Amino acid sequence: MNKIMLKLGGTIMTLFLMVLLPLGYAANQIFTNFYYSQVQEEIGELSQKYARTISSLEDETVINMFRNLADLTNKEMYITEANGKVVADSDVQLANLTNEDIKQLSAGKPIRKEFKDSLTDSNYLGAGYPIIQSNTFEGAFFVLAPINDVQEPVQKIRYLLILSAVGALFLALGFTFLFSKKMSDPLIEMEQASRQIAKGNLDVRVNIPSNDEVGSLGKAINDLALETNRYRSNRREFFATISHELRTPVSYLKGYAQVLKQDLYQTEEERLQYLNIIENETDRLVRLINDLFDLSKMEEGKMDLQMSTIDLTEVLESALFKVKMESEKKGLTLKTKIDEAVPFIEADGTRLEQIFTNLLGNAVRYTEKGFVSVKVWNANNNVHVIIEDTGVGIPEKDLSLVFERFHRVEKSRSRELGGTGLGLAIVKNLVELQSGSISVSSQLGKGTRFQLSFPTAE
Ligand code: ADP
């Protein structure tokens, strides 16, 4: 017996009693009254009929006929003279026939009351009717019905009522048992599943029993397990990638440091080359660590942004300046088309510059010839930026994945070019943290275009 069963059972029992008890009482009352008044009616009519039929109180045959009639109809009769003296009876003696009763009858009015038989002490429902002959009150005719006879059918009905109430109660209890079992079984299953999930057993699923709230709870638990599972494998994969990403530069560092230590080089030029590699790998390691740190802060929602109202174009100019040398070195043209009087936006200047430096850096890094262009304009309460290049492009299948951490289209080339695979993931996070949006489109071998927009400041 579980708690839901107890609670539900208790409630239904209480409700049942609250409804059944008054209902039973009322039904009992109605039936009793009905029977009593029916019997009263009957003996009232009989007494009237008999009183009217009687012609003489002295006629023994008539009196005897009534006695027989009383026997046949299971009623008693009692005939008195005008002064109350008994003329005939069917073995009853009315113990409580009063002068008042006689008085009322002599006034021509019938009486109805409960009489007691002084011989047997049993009670009768009685009706008395005056015998009037040629306008004189001659006596009274009483017809009596034993109260037991009246009570018997009432008692029967009462038993029936109680029986059906008890039946209904058991039915309700059975129903409660089944219903609460149907309700609590899935809940118990969900409890066990949740405990399994808490223990790390993420493959458990609960049956979804119905389309109601219990069903959606089950669905929520299944979703939780699914989501946690996804998170766990994501995390596993993330750590595997990080250790791999960290191990690679470190093994380079160790390898070239050993070469230098053991003088395993031929020329001074070679020595400088090795030192360069060490320096580059160290730089990359620092970048990787910084990127990881940024990303983890963003994913935990702990990135503190110093928001202020700023001029996006100024920030963009500063980022452009940083990539200028590199692009000139590669012989690329840097084209800019920046609208005048672009409205200010609400952003963190340093982080906004990080976004542009990253995108422009990628554009220059993945472009061998042609140009990198930047466009800025204002429309629909948003400042829009397009950073476009004529580089290698991104294959269709990778387009939706480039914003994921560590996703690189061509691992070796990205590495060769000093990439960490975290840049775009950080860019997307930063853009969204500053209420902006970013999208990418590209054609393999032709170029790539990143489009950003930020809401203008109020
Ligand atoms: P990475 O440090 O490797 O550049 P990013 O997160 O910045 O990492 O970019 C993810 C991948 O997207 C890159 O490895 C590269 O393959 C691709 N990519 C990004 N920008 C461009 C671009 N402008 N042109 C072509 N490919 C790009």
Side-chain angles (χ1 to χ4, degrees), residues 87-98:
V87 176
D89 65 61
S90 55
D91 303 325
V92 279
Q93 261 174 41
L94 301 190
N96 53 343
L97 180 67
T98 60

Side-chain angles (χ1 to χ4, degrees), residues 362-363 365-366 389 393-394 402 407-409 414 419-421 423-424 448:
N362 275 350
R365 195 183 307 157
Y366 296 108
D389 62 59
I394 301 168
V402 287
H407 185 85
R408 289 181 285 196
V409 176
S414 156
T420 61
L424 286 183
T448 306

Side-chain angles (χ1 to χ4, degrees), residues 101-118:
D101 298 335
I102 299 292
K103 221 185 202 169
Q104 195 178 330
L105 287 161
S106 66
K109 289 182 197 146
I111 58 164
R112 279 179 189 183
K113 68 180 248 182
E114 258 182 50
F115 288 107
K116 204 178 180 80
D117 176 14
S118 54

Side-chain angles (χ1 to χ4, degrees), residues 287 291 358-367 387-389 391-395 398 401-411 413-415 417-427 440 442 447-450:
R287 227 172 18 245
D291 281 357
N358 235 307
L359 292 174
L360 287 168
N362 275 350
V364 172
R365 195 183 307 157
Y366 296 108
T367 306
I387 296 174
E388 200 173 2
D389 62 59
V392 292
I394 301 168
D398 290 282
L401 300 169
V402 287
F403 292 113
E404 302 217 337
R405 50 194 189 194
F406 293 123
H407 185 85
R408 289 181 285 196
V409 176
E410 231 182 288
K411 232 180 168 113
R413 187 177 55 198
S414 156
R415 226 201 105 69
L417 300 172
T420 61
L422 292 175
L424 286 183
I426 292 173
V427 165
V440 60
S442 179
T448 306
R449 162 204 280 229
F450 284 93

Side-chain angles (χ1 to χ4, degrees), residues 193-259:
S194 306
R195 290 194 192 287
Q196 287 292 316
I197 292 169
K199 273 189 202 153
N201 182 5
L202 299 180
D203 293 328
V204 289
R205 294 288 178 273
V206 294
N207 289 317
I208 294 173
S210 47
N211 228 349
D212 55 10
E213 289 81 357
V214 181
S216 35
L217 178 64
K219 203 165 156 336
I221 291 175
N222 284 347
D223 287 350
L224 179 73
L226 205 75
E227 226 16 73
T228 314
N229 208 358
R230 198 173 296 154
Y231 174 76
R232 190 166 66 178
S233 45
N234 224 340
R235 211 175 71 126
R236 223 177 256 158
E237 194 185 312
F238 181 62
F239 278 115
T241 323
I242 287 185
S243 12
H244 175 77
E245 293 293 327
L246 289 173
R247 207 177 297 127
T248 319
V250 170
S251 55
Y252 272 100
L253 288 179
K254 191 173 158 64
Y256 287 106
Q258 260 171 356
V259 169

